[in-house]
Amino acid sequence: ERAAPRTVATGLLAGTCLVMALAAHAGGSLTHGGDYLTEHAPAFVRRMMGLHVPRDRSREPLTTIAERQAFDGVALRILEDHCTSCHNPGKIKGQLRLDTYEGVLEGGQSGPVVLAGDAGASAVLQRVHLPLDEEKHMPPKGMEQLTDDEILVLTWWIEAGLPNTETLRQLKAPPEIRVAFSRSLPE
């Protein structure tokens, strides 16, 4: 007879904790977005949950700026820093993936985001240049914005025709592009 009140109390406590956890999660999702709990989770946790695991570039060999491939070593680095947290296989906002060359070329529900040779008509740069308070500005307000150097490099990449595997040396990238890109690298 004495065990019954404890069992009821334990059940009530567990139920209360569950309701509080769900309410806290719902409130956090409203405030910080639906992925706030997993956004910075370690890779093994993200894999267990079936989420996209951001590329770990820390183990890749360092390459001189001139020997970097135009997309993977240059343009993608900028996109990874500012765009792929929302445009990746696990979270495809606007039906747009910016984590692969093919995804960038394919575009999203609003159409192409880059037009080879025409940076001014490329939606990715148009959105970067919108006022920060504009709803369509990218990256969204509150996220780290592209630097002038990063915008210069992306503009060059688009104007150069969206090169993929060619290196900056092969493409004869101007010195100011190499210098601008080097200032944006964490290493």
Side-chain angles (χ1 to χ4, degrees):
E1 291 178 29
R2 291 183 186 173
R6 268 193 197 148
T7 304
V8 171
T10 302
L12 285 173
L13 179 60
T16 302
C17 288
L18 179 61
V19 169
M20 287 178 64
L22 291 172
H25 178 68
S29 294
L30 283 173
T31 307
H32 304 291
D35 63 344
Y36 80 100
L37 283 178
T38 58
E39 183 179 10
H40 300 290
F44 76 93
V45 171
R46 293 183 65 81
R47 271 190 211 94
M48 285 184 349
M49 297 177 73
L51 299 172
H52 170 68
V53 179
R55 188 174 187 169
D56 180 8
R57 293 215 181 243
S58 66
R59 299 187 190 277
E60 293 180 5
L62 293 178
T63 309
T64 64
I65 300 295
E67 296 308 318
R68 289 183 182 246
Q69 291 182 344
F71 180 73
D72 188 63
V74 180
L76 182 58
R77 294 296 295 261
I78 296 168
L79 297 174
E80 285 174 340
D81 287 346
H82 301 283
C83 309
T84 61
S85 63
C86 293
H87 301 286
N88 65 68
K91 185 177 181 182
I92 309 175
K93 287 196 173 180
Q95 301 303 310
L96 175 63
R97 283 189 56 184
L98 296 176
D99 62 319
T100 66
Y101 186 73
E102 295 74 23
V104 171
L105 295 182
E106 186 176 317
Q109 73 186 33
S110 299
V113 293
V114 290
L115 296 172
D118 193 351
S122 294
V124 70
L125 289 177
Q126 289 174 347
R127 290 192 175 211
V128 163
H129 289 297
L130 288 172
L132 190 57
D133 291 334
E134 176 75 34
E135 182 182 339
K136 291 187 176 189
H137 174 86
M138 289 293 151
K141 191 174 182 178
M143 303 285 286
E144 184 179 347
Q145 300 300 304
L146 278 76
T147 65
D148 290 341
D149 284 336
E150 291 168 326
I151 293 170
L152 180 67
V153 171
L154 281 181
T155 301
W156 170 83
W157 178 69
I158 293 169
E159 289 292 334
L162 311 174
N164 186 4
T165 58
E166 299 87 350
T167 66
L168 295 188
R169 181 184 316 279
Q170 291 169 325
L171 294 165
K172 296 179 176 48
E176 60 269 17
I177 296 302
R178 293 181 192 190
V179 170
F181 182 65
S182 70
R183 286 192 292 251
S184 70
L185 286 173
E187 63 263 17

